[in-house]
Amino acid sequence: MTRTVSANISITLDGRYNGPGGVGDLAAIVPYAMTEVARNHLARLHDGATTAVLGRLNAEGFLGFWPTVIDNEDADPRDRGYAKWLVDTEKVVLSTTLTEAPWPHARIANAPAADVITELKARGDGDILVNNSTTVIKALLKADLLDRLYLMITPEIAGGGERLFDDGLPATKWKLSLHETGDLGEMAMVYDRAR
């Protein structure tokens, strides 16, 4: 059985994953990260996934934050579930600068994202989740290696910043498999690649 490759990312109405201030400008994303819809989305995206693929920057951020959530009794159970999954699961971190992973159950891959995903698909069980790592997601979209997209769309126009869907991607077709709208107008959507 072939492993499904999924990617998760939040974007604005104008398709941006950050604002005009650069990588750290998440003003149009963060206010929607802790809503019921966002937490439901988080809970379902790692269901069935046995491998997390992260770029170096996301690995450093995620693995600096999420492990602290596991034992936080005030944290939402969905957040704690995701945190436990992230800590316990196999992690592949794509990096050209790290030589060894400072996290449990992690290894470094200094290779193109498409090559790493092709190798992961050829072995192991369970799904592969590329979590919020835009450079990896963009490379996999370009290589048409994604089977599922978990998108959280925030009801804001950033007006600047980096776009997820760059010009020059191959034409592909997707099927909407799930759609949930929150009280603030945020939308969680799951798209499956129609092949």
Side-chain angles (χ1 to χ4, degrees):
M1 182 172 170
T2 303
R3 302 178 79 183
T4 298
V5 181
S6 301
N8 171 56
I9 192 161
S10 295
I11 58 174
T12 60
L13 283 177
D14 54 345
R16 305 191 191 265
Y17 54 88
N18 60 32
V23 176
D25 184 357
L26 302 175
I29 304 285
V30 170
Y32 308 94
M34 298 300 182
T35 66
E36 285 299 303
V37 167
R39 284 192 161 121
N40 290 340
H41 196 59
L42 182 69
R44 81 177 136 255
L45 69 92
H46 65 90
D47 186 37
T50 58
T51 304
V53 176
L54 299 156
R56 179 189 57 83
L57 288 177
N58 268 2
E60 290 173 346
F62 278 28
L63 296 165
F65 170 76
W66 284 105
T68 67
V69 175
I70 294 172
D71 295 322
N72 180 350
E73 293 183 13
D74 295 328
D76 186 283
R78 293 165 291 188
D79 294 348
R80 290 175 74 185
Y82 172 78
K84 183 164 178 25
W85 171 82
L86 183 62
V87 168
D88 292 346
T89 199
E90 172 193 28
K91 291 168 282 297
V92 178
V93 178
L94 282 85
S95 176
T96 57
T97 57
L98 293 176
T99 55
E100 61 182 61
W103 312 285
H105 312 292
R107 69 177 172 92
I108 303 300
N110 182 354
D115 294 349
V116 171
I117 293 298
T118 300
E119 182 260 324
L120 287 170
K121 284 184 75 159
R123 64 167 184 82
D125 295 312
D127 296 338
I128 300 163
L129 174 63
V130 180
N131 206 346
N132 216 49
S133 297
T134 53
T135 56
V136 178
I137 294 170
K138 285 181 172 193
L140 298 181
L141 284 167
K142 188 173 182 179
D144 193 18
L145 286 173
L146 287 178
D147 302 304
R148 178 171 292 149
L149 279 171
Y150 289 93
L151 292 177
M152 177 65 81
I153 311 295
T154 66
E156 296 194 23
I157 293 175
E162 297 176 82
R163 292 184 187 273
L164 176 62
F165 301 107
D166 292 329
D167 288 343
L169 291 175
T172 55
K173 187 172 183 172
W174 298 79
K175 176 186 174 228
L176 181 64
S177 301
L178 186 140
H179 175 258
E180 187 178 2
T181 304
D183 293 338
L184 300 175
E186 74 280 16
M187 294 181 291
M189 294 181 284
V190 180
Y191 281 96
D192 287 309
R193 176 73 170 89
R195 297 194 189 272

